[in-house]
Amino acid sequence: MLTQSFDLQVPAVPRAVPVDGRYLLRHELHLTNFGAEPLVPVSIEVRDADAGSVLIRTEGAALAQLLAIRGADQHGDDAPPIAPGMRAVAYLDTMLPGDVPAMLEHRVEYRVAGGDGSNGAVEGARVAVDSRPPPLLGRPLRGGPWVAVHSPAWPRGHRRALYALDGRVRIPGRFAIDWVRVDTRGHIADGDPDRVDDALGYGADVLAVTDATVSAVRNDVQESSTISGHRPHALADASGNYVALDLGDGRHAFYEHLQPGSIRVRPGQRVRRGEVIAALGFTGDSTGPHLHFHVADGSSPLAAEGIPFVIDRFRVLGRYPDIGTLGAAPWLPPAAERTALHLMEWPASNVVVDFNTD
């Protein structure tokens, strides 16, 4: 019987980035229900469209974790029902076993919510993978230890923060990292943890990651002296004080939450790799002093699509399996089979790094 179900779309080009010696393929699949009844996704497959092989199949609790309906609270181990006319987003991360495929296609199995238990399936969303290498960048900060805070699983993390601006929805922070300074005990402050200027990273020099032209600057957002005194910010002020660097080829690097009055550059100015451009601060929509860094395909902090980047070299000291212990416990050492020195990679989720690699 012919029935309507999901419209499958991949609005942003899938992109791959090297992580821990393998390639991470990251993209989103949008599912819009054009049927007459609520539909529950049962499984999602991402396939190499040319080879016909399944790159990843996700179902059950894993599917429920990566699938989200904007504005809806989700609980439990089952994927949520998607009502007629509603859209869900599947945040797909695939660690590839080999080379990056040239073309992807998708298959979604589903069932009718409250129905007789029979399943349907729809195939589509055939899309090319961006084959361009990600920008190769230098260190954004000196020394360490710095924790590369990010995770695809966080419901309110950068990976899942969609902004519908200028008539199009985007994820600027798709590959964003929040850099938080710690000491060898895992503490993030020396003194009163509520005082902003007692944070270990506060005031640290922020560095140009490559030779570039400054494309945008904001330097007028004020800062609370305490973390508890921080107030919510309007969307237009979420980035706080920031610098954007034009990397060429339509790519821009963003440094956000910078210290008031610390920015040393102006739009149109040329900067050299390693040059100090600002200081780490606590402005904008931030839970504590840190440097937010991401690369995107436009010069707006929010109205641009996040793209991957790699850092030329960094040393991995360990990792936080549970980022909730950050500030209260030391990190775990790296797995024995992993090389501590990483070259031309994107830092993995919640690793602790040192940029002094000599």
Side-chain angles (χ1 to χ4, degrees):
M1 182 174 67
L2 189 66
T3 60
Q4 295 194 78
S5 61
F6 289 117
D7 171 70
L8 305 180
Q9 298 287 335
V10 179
V13 178
R15 303 173 191 268
V17 65
V19 180
D20 279 344
R22 299 171 64 187
Y23 277 97
L24 168 68
L25 178 67
R26 173 166 284 188
H27 71 294
E28 299 81 44
L29 177 67
H30 290 220
L31 303 85
T32 304
N33 183 0
F34 277 81
E37 300 175 280
L39 302 178
V40 180
V42 174
S43 70
I44 295 178
E45 288 182 354
V46 181
R47 299 175 175 178
D48 183 327
D50 296 325
S53 57
V54 176
L55 299 173
I56 185 174
R57 175 185 170 89
T58 182
E59 56 191 336
L63 175 60
Q65 186 180 55
L66 64 81
L67 193 69
I69 300 173
R70 180 72 168 177
D73 291 330
Q74 293 174 219
H75 305 282
D77 294 333
D78 296 321
I82 303 171
M86 292 292 292
R87 179 195 295 189
V89 179
Y91 297 91
L92 300 168
D93 276 18
T94 308
M95 291 302 297
L96 299 173
D99 294 336
V100 179
M103 187 77 65
L104 304 178
E105 60 185 5
H106 302 76
R107 185 176 192 270
V108 177
E109 293 182 355
Y110 63 90
R111 62 179 174 82
V112 176
D116 59 7
S118 60
N119 289 1
V122 57
E123 298 182 4
R126 186 180 174 95
V127 61
V129 178
D130 190 341
S131 61
R132 294 177 298 169
L136 175 60
L137 306 177
R139 58 185 183 177
L141 297 153
R142 295 193 185 100
W146 293 97
V147 186
V149 179
H150 67 91
S151 172
W154 295 337
R156 292 175 177 83
H158 297 124
R159 171 77 171 98
R160 303 193 182 201
L162 297 100
Y163 296 95
L165 301 169
D166 303 329
R168 177 181 163 192
V169 67
R170 300 176 179 89
I171 303 179
R174 183 176 286 107
F175 292 91
I177 294 176
D178 284 344
W179 294 103
V180 177
R181 184 69 183 264
V182 294
D183 63 16
T184 56
R185 300 167 297 171
H187 295 168
I188 59 176
D190 182 12
D192 185 350
D194 190 45
R195 287 196 56 82
V196 170
D197 56 8
D198 280 348
L200 294 174
Y202 185 75
D205 288 341
V206 173
L207 311 178
V209 290
T210 190
D211 296 352
T213 301
V214 179
S215 54
V217 164
R218 183 169 184 185
N219 201 22
D220 63 352
V221 182
Q222 297 305 303
E223 187 177 76
S224 169
S225 62
T226 62
I227 295 173
S228 60
H230 199 57
R231 296 291 179 262
H233 286 71
L235 184 62
D237 301 327
S239 300
N241 297 320
Y242 71 88
V243 172
L245 300 183
D246 186 345
L247 308 178
D249 196 24
R251 303 172 180 186
H252 297 256
F254 290 87
Y255 306 76
E256 300 182 3
H257 311 312
L258 302 174
Q259 190 180 101
S262 73
I263 295 176
R264 305 186 184 187
V265 296
R266 62 186 184 282
Q269 179 180 337
R270 287 290 296 175
V271 295
R272 302 299 299 271
R273 172 179 163 141
E275 180 179 342
V276 177
I277 60 174
L280 185 149
F282 182 52
T283 56
D285 210 359
S286 173
T287 57
H290 70 272
L291 174 66
H292 169 105
F293 182 86
H294 76 267
V295 177
D297 64 0
S299 60
S300 168
L302 300 181
E305 207 70 84
I307 61 177
F309 60 91
V310 295
I311 298 175
D312 58 358
R313 55 195 296 125
F314 56 91
R315 191 172 299 279
V316 171
L317 305 177
R319 184 173 181 270
Y320 277 94
D322 177 7
I323 200 63
T325 64
L326 177 64
W331 61 84
L332 296 183
E337 69 274 13
R338 294 182 181 171
T339 303
L341 183 62
H342 290 242
L343 304 176
M344 295 184 292
E345 288 191 344
W346 185 64
S349 175
N350 302 329
V351 294
V352 184
V353 311
D354 192 327
F355 290 118
N356 288 336
T357 57
D358 299 333

